[in-house]
Amino acid sequence: MAEGQYPAVRLRRLRSQAFLRRQVAEHRLDPAGLILPVFVHGHSESEPIPAMPGVSRLSTEDLLRTGARCLELNIPSIAVFPAIDPALKTPDGREALNPDGLAQRSVRALKTEFGDRLGVIADVALDPYTSHGHDGVLDEAGRVRNDESVALLVDQAVSLAEAGVDVVAPSDMMDGRIGAIRSALESAGHSDAVILSYAAKYASSFYAPFRHALGSAGALRGDKRTYQMDPANAREAEREAALDLAEGADMIMVKPGMMYLDIVRRLAERFEAPVLAYQVSGEYAMLKNAINSGALGSEAVLETLRAFFRAGARAVLTYHALEAAEAIRKL
Ligand code: PBG
């Protein structure tokens, strides 16, 4: 730049001091935008999950302790995933409907302890309960049958609502399940039950650590590509989301999240309903392993969360929720 000539605009000026950077930030991190997914099992001791460093399958006691920690950190809700005893898994996943099953017991324990101070979310899908690891029931050829699966999912959703769950989150990707679940919830008197639909759920390799956590990895025969979405598709996500909203979903979710921020952005721009994103187990494991090895600093976690909110996510399900909320407090 020649002497005596100055740039008309210096964008660095607003980056020059911390108070300015804070004041003009387009997005602020708030624990209210976080949801903690947790794994529970029916044992009296919690057990670390090797594929997800820092995450354990929780005993009921530790589940309640974790719920209390969420409240302290201002995290509004928790999503419970049951690791079912293999002896209870069957081809039709009937254990999902057991009013005293692990998921239902966990929901009840949380609601009894915390009432409406802590929101409780539970997945609607059969994969934790089926001996073959699929989200629905199979025909003779091993393909997932849509309508028969929906009938079971409807009963599972009602059973979770009876246990007191605030939000049911169908993660199965069967066609027509949101409408069927909504009308069954209404008929059963649960008109306040919120449906968070996994609207754009991709057939992703990034769920592998989750399947280890649930013990469904070894069981899974084949893959989930006949019902979960093809990672090649973006416009199809809009069709899925539009249908789920028309059928009565209150909120829609994109999953995985970090790799699919373009989808988060698309849905957030097109629909008024809240769009949530799930930073899934494989995304967590990648980041955590990189941090544990020293390759990345732990502040990388908050950067990923900012990216979700910048893309338009209203809330993020993340296994990093507790440590992130602690870090946000110190900002
Ligand atoms: C079950 C379900 C899965 C996840 C959430 N619900 C796995 C799958 O669809 O195979 C994945 C979450 C994660 O990887 O953290 N339908």
Side-chain angles (χ1 to χ4, degrees):
M1 202 157 285
E3 211 182 324
Q5 288 194 340
Y6 308 104
V9 179
R10 292 186 190 271
L11 291 179
R12 288 186 55 193
R13 202 175 283 128
L14 288 181
R15 298 176 199 144
S16 65
Q17 292 200 62
F19 90 88
L20 286 166
R21 292 193 296 272
R22 277 182 68 211
Q23 209 128 68
V24 303
E26 293 178 44
H27 297 278
R28 293 191 171 82
L29 289 173
D30 180 345
L34 303 178
I35 297 167
L36 177 70
V38 293
F39 299 101
V40 292
H41 67 177
H43 306 269
S44 52
E45 298 291 328
S46 295
E47 176 188 19
I49 300 164
M52 299 181 70
V55 178
S56 293
R57 292 178 202 94
L58 303 177
S59 64
T60 305
E61 200 180 309
D62 282 343
L63 171 67
L64 296 178
R65 226 173 261 144
T66 305
R69 189 72 189 130
C70 286
L71 286 184
E72 281 165 18
L73 290 166
N74 269 326
I75 296 171
S77 67
I78 195 166
V80 184
F81 294 92
I84 300 298
D85 178 349
L88 297 174
K89 297 189 184 188
T90 54
D92 66 0
R94 213 142 261 292
E95 174 65 11
L97 315 183
N98 180 354
D100 284 316
L102 179 58
Q104 289 85 347
R105 289 202 310 274
S106 306
V107 167
R108 227 177 276 123
L110 285 166
K111 292 316 291 184
T112 305
E113 182 82 5
F114 302 110
D116 57 13
R117 290 179 297 141
L118 183 70
V120 179
I121 303 174
D123 248 37
V124 176
L126 297 182
D127 56 312
Y129 305 93
T130 51
S131 41
H132 44 72
H134 281 288
D135 294 32
V137 289
L138 307 180
D139 65 14
E140 306 72 45
R143 288 179 71 89
V144 174
R145 300 183 71 124
N146 194 85
D147 301 5
E148 289 79 353
S149 300
V150 169
L152 287 161
L153 295 165
V154 161
D155 291 345
Q156 181 185 19
V158 171
S159 154
L160 290 164
E162 308 272 294
V165 84
D166 300 293
V167 180
V168 289
S171 71
D172 54 284
M173 291 300 279
M174 298 302 121
D175 287 322
R177 89 275 208 220
I178 301 297
I181 290 171
R182 174 54 78 209
S183 96
L185 288 172
E186 291 283 352
S187 322
H190 298 290
S191 56
D192 280 343
V194 169
I195 299 181
L196 162 62
S197 86
Y198 287 70
K201 173 166 180 180
Y202 287 86
S204 171
S205 10
F206 290 90
Y207 308 149
F210 175 97
R211 293 178 192 163
H212 287 293
L214 287 197
S216 62
L220 184 61
R221 272 195 251 132
D223 57 50
K224 301 192 176 183
R225 285 186 287 185
T226 69
Y227 47 106
Q228 298 181 347
M229 282 180 58
D230 184 341
N233 298 349
R235 301 185 68 184
E236 188 189 357
E238 297 189 38
R239 299 186 75 189
E240 282 284 1
L243 269 176
D244 285 2
L245 289 169
E247 289 177 32
D250 302 285
M251 307 188 275
I252 50 181
M253 182 147 64
V254 175
K255 176 182 171 201
M258 219 151 72
M259 308 291 176
Y260 293 78
L261 290 182
D262 59 320
I263 309 298
V264 173
R265 161 62 68 202
R266 252 174 201 262
L267 300 191
E269 274 178 0
R270 165 136 178 222
F271 301 102
E272 290 78 25
V275 175
L276 276 57
Y278 198 146
Q279 186 171 44
V280 299
S281 57
E283 296 174 325
Y284 169 85
M286 271 195 317
L287 214 47
K288 198 72 179 175
N289 285 323
I291 292 167
N292 288 348
S293 77
L296 290 180
S298 59
E299 69 284 355
V301 170
L302 294 193
E303 186 175 330
T304 67
L305 297 180
R306 287 189 205 283
F308 282 112
F309 294 113
R310 197 182 59 234
R314 201 74 69 80
V316 180
L317 278 96
T318 175
Y319 303 96
H320 296 288
L322 293 175
E323 47 175 323
E326 283 165 17
I328 290 170
R329 232 187 207 179
K330 294 191 198 116
L331 286 178

